[in-house]
Every structure is written in structure tokens, then in C-alpha cells.
Amino acid sequence: MVKRRDFIKWAGGAGISLTAAGWSLLAAADGKRGTATVAAGVPTGTGIKGRVVVIGGGMAGATAAKYLRYWGGTGVDVTLVERDTSYTSNIMSNLVLNGSRTVTSLQYGYGNLASRYGVKVVKGDVTAIDPVGRAVTLAGGSRLAYDRLVVAPGVDFDLLPGLETAAAQAKAPHAWKTGPQTTALRNMITAMPNGGVFVLSIPPKPYRCPPGPYERACLVADWLKRNRPGSKVIVLDANPGITAEVHSFTDAFDVVHQGVIEYHPGVAIASVDTTTMTVNTNIGNIRGNVLNLIPPHRAGKVIAANGLADAGGKWTSVDVLSYEATVAPGIHVIGDAAATTQPKAGHIANQEAKVCADAILRLLSGRLPDAAPQTNSACYSPITADTASWLTATFAYDPLTKTMQPVAASSGEAAARSKDNFEEMTKWFTALMADSFA
Ligand SMILES: Cc1cc2nc3c(=O)[nH]c(=O)nc-3n(C[C@H](O)[C@H](O)[C@H](O)COP(=O)(O)OP(=O)(O)OC[C@H]3O[C@@H](n4cnc5c(N)ncnc54)[C@H](O)[C@@H]3O)c2cc1C
């Protein structure tokens, strides 16, 4: 039976990889002097040396940068390159749409990574990776050399036909990366009339946060029910059925939000016309007051631009013992950009980052990566403004398939939505973000 409180605890802990103290002991066992660490600090005596560059300061990249220093010590030179000055969390961003959160409340700076762990934070956009010369080039032309590279750029989106221009995109925002589109979508919802129609489309798998679009449908329906009577949420799902938390969302669509949410599986979008606010699909032309169309995903563009998109032309296949790219030795790809059997989720990105950091530190010390990593994931899904369901999963390395496989005994979803779950969601989120950014 899953104990969901464990996931709150694990999010704030060290996952399955070695702790800083563990790395010091490892160094001591080698005859090198192990050095005790303070809680938020960097050990000095691990004996590990190397230069690691991390591309992308999101859930995966920030965690990897922090733990490379926290476990690896002062001999590991870590540079984090991020194009934005702060990170805006996607997790919890659906709560901006019902007015219970702001985008600003979801922002996290990089000051702690620099001051507490000595990560060198560089604001910049990596455009080129030179796997032979072991260096990356930033948009301004500067180069950073590395011994090991971690690439964590998250996702980019494919354009839906009809949404090629910025003007069309502004009329049908996906808001699947928190920012100005999220605020714009919130404003569109509040501008809806009574009896209005909100159209939400869900892309084919894999996409980031499998339960996320269904959660969004619930939160928008819940707000409309109370504030714009007679309105509807039409969900156009490219997948053959609900992709996550089937029990919770079936109940939410059929019972909690009955008559408000209209769910259509297996929908292919042929084109979008933002002048008439119409989505042309295989089940007919659907008109809405608001079009919230989440496009198909691919790894952040630095992946394909540098020959790393070997999985379906969109993602990077990796060895999940180290997250080293199959096609590029010395380059590790983590988070949403990696093709693994685990979901594309922030909690999993945090876990992959720790396994990867641990593996890099072992490799830099002439060891092999841990042969039996485990990861875990939790996801809380608000169903109304004050109740939530949850989904948890644990994954263990399967040496036969060389993949991470779910452990049935510790995976599952909530029996029912509750206010208690909603409160735990906030604790889980705070612990997860602190583990990555504080
Ligand atoms: C609405 C919504 C709700 C969600 N809810 C949950 C949830 O409840 N639980 C959960 O676990 N997950 C959730 N997720 C998923 C989660 O946000 C992602 O899976 C997670 O952010 C992936 O982490 P990442 O580090 O791979 O990518 P990101 O967090 O997107 O970070 C990528 C970073 O890389 C930077 N970058 C990209 N390219 C470059 C470059 N070339 N140079 C420099 N910087 C670059 C970007 O600016 C960005 O900061 C949700 C997602 C959405 C959209």
C-alpha cells in the first residue's frame, strides 16, 4: 500500500543516491580524508575533481547542479547555464487559472545555488555543443569547457496548423510553460460570458505532466460552475483515453463536474482558425470562447540542434544508470528531454538529476554508476479549489530490459479526492522546490 506521506519526505531528502556524508565516507575508504559537511554546504575532502557544465536551470538542471556540489565537494567545478534570470514553476500553475495563485508566487531564484553551494550561475542561451572538444558555446559566442556535460532543457512545442504566427498563438495560448501565457489564459477565463465554452486540447503522449491537462479541465470547470453558470469545458484528447489517474478523473468528469466537462478521446486536430475561434477535428468543428490548445512536445531545441534527438527524432535515449546519452559519451540528458519509461514530471526530473549527479561523481572518481537506482514520483491533482487527488509511483532499475520499471507495491492513486490531500499537496510542493532550489 502506498504511503503518500513518504513522498513528501522523499522529496525533501536525498532520493536514493549517496548523501554528502556518504561521499565523504567513500573518499575516506579510499585513503583520502573525508570531511564533515554542514547542512547547507559543500564538503572539501572528497578527492573528486572535474568540470561539469549544466544546461538549463529547471527542475532537473538546478537539482543536478546543487547535488554535484553538495555531494561532490569543492573540487567539482559546476557551472549552470540558464537563459532566464529566475525559474517559474509549472507545477501548481493550473492554480493561477482559478485565481488562487499568481505567476510571481511560482518563481525561484538561483541565489541559493550560488551562495550555499558555490555553483557558478551563468545567464545565457547555449546554442552549440562540441562533444569532441568538450565545450559548449553560448549565444554571445563565449565557450565553456567541461569534462562532463548535463543537458536539461525541458521541452519545446510543435506548432498546430493555423497557429504559426505570434498573433494566432496569442489568441489560443497553451500556457504549458508558466509565464505571460498563463496570465493571459486566466484573463481570458475571467472574460468568458455565462454559458461560454472553454476548449482544451491534450497532445499525444509523451507530454509533460500526464495528469496536468485533466487537472486543468477540472479547475477551470470548477471556477466556471461558480462564476459563469451554464459554461462548458470541452476536452479534446489526442490519446485513446485518460492517460493518468483514470479512477480520479473519471469520477471528476462523470460525477464532480458532470454536465460541465465534455470529454472526447481520440481527437486529431487538423487545423485551428483563430478568426472564428474554431478547432477543426476528426469529430467535427468545435467553437469556443477560449481555445487552450496544448501542442505536441519535443525536447528543448538544443537537443535536436546538436544531434542528440535519437529517440523518435524528438528525445534523447539514455542509459538510466547514469543518464549518459546513448549517442554521445560524456553528455548526460535528464528531465523532460530524456526518453525513459518514467513520466515527464518535475518530481521525476529531480530524481533523475540526483541519480545522474551521483553517477557523474562516481565516474569522475573512476568508479561505475550505482547498478540498482530507484526513483520515485508524486503528483497531486486539484479536482476543485480545495480538494485534490494524488498519484505516486516508484521505479526500480530492471537489469534485463535496462529500463526503470514501476514497483507495483508502491505505486497507485488516491481512493478519493479530499481536502487533506489538497493540504498535503502544498507541503509536497514546498519540499520538492526546496530540494531543487534551496
Ligand atoms: C501545468 C503543469 C503542471 C505540472 N504539474 C506537475 C506536478 O504536479 N508534478 C510534477 O512532478 N510535474 C508537474 N509538471 C511537469 C514539470 O513542470 C516538468 O516535468 C519539469 O519542469 C521538467 O523539468 P526539466 O528541468 O526537464 O524542464 P524545465 O523545468 O522546463 O526546465 C528547463 C530549463 O532549461 C532552460 N533552457 C532550455 N534550453 C536552454 C538553453 N539552450 N540554454 C540555457 N537554458 C536553457 C529553460 O529556460 C528552463 O529553465 C507540470 C507541468 C505543467 C505544464
Side-chain angles (χ1 to χ4, degrees), residues 55-62 81-84 86-94 110 124-127 152-156 175-178 208-209 212-213 215-216 300-302 334-337 343-350 377-381 428 432:
I55 304 174
M59 298 304 298
V81 189
E82 164 58 48
R83 57 163 73 117
D84 292 329
S86 62
Y87 179 68
T88 309
S89 169
N90 300 303
I91 308 176
M92 299 288 142
S93 67
N94 282 332
Y110 296 104
D125 203 327
V126 173
T127 50
V155 299
D156 271 324
W176 212 240
K177 177 170 167 39
T178 312
R208 60 169 29 165
C209 194
E215 164 190 305
R216 179 174 286 183
K301 78 167 183 251
V302 74
I334 53 174
D336 287 353
K344 296 194 185 302
H347 192 131
I348 280 289
N350 165 288
S377 174
C379 192
Y380 288 82
S381 301
W428 160 79
L432 177 65

Side-chain angles (χ1 to χ4, degrees), residues 2 41 49 65 78 81 97 109 190 203 222 254 258 268 290 309 372-373 377:
V2 181
K49 285 194 172 24
V78 179
V81 189
L97 302 181
T190 57
D222 183 59
D254 294 352
Q258 188 194 20
V290 176
S377 174

Side-chain angles (χ1 to χ4, degrees), residues 176-210:
W176 212 240
K177 177 170 167 39
T178 312
Q181 283 203 359
T182 314
T183 308
L185 188 59
R186 164 69 181 157
N187 292 339
M188 288 176 180
I189 293 168
T190 57
M192 277 176 67
N194 292 344
V197 175
F198 181 95
V199 180
L200 167 68
S201 74
I202 304 175
K205 290 200 298 182
Y207 60 87
R208 60 169 29 165
C209 194

Side-chain angles (χ1 to χ4, degrees), residues 186 215 246 290 295 324 331 376 382 420-421 424 432 437:
R186 164 69 181 157
E215 164 190 305
V246 176
V290 176
E324 194 160 7
I331 299 179
N376 64 75
D420 183 39
N421 292 343
E424 282 189 3
L432 177 65
F437 290 92

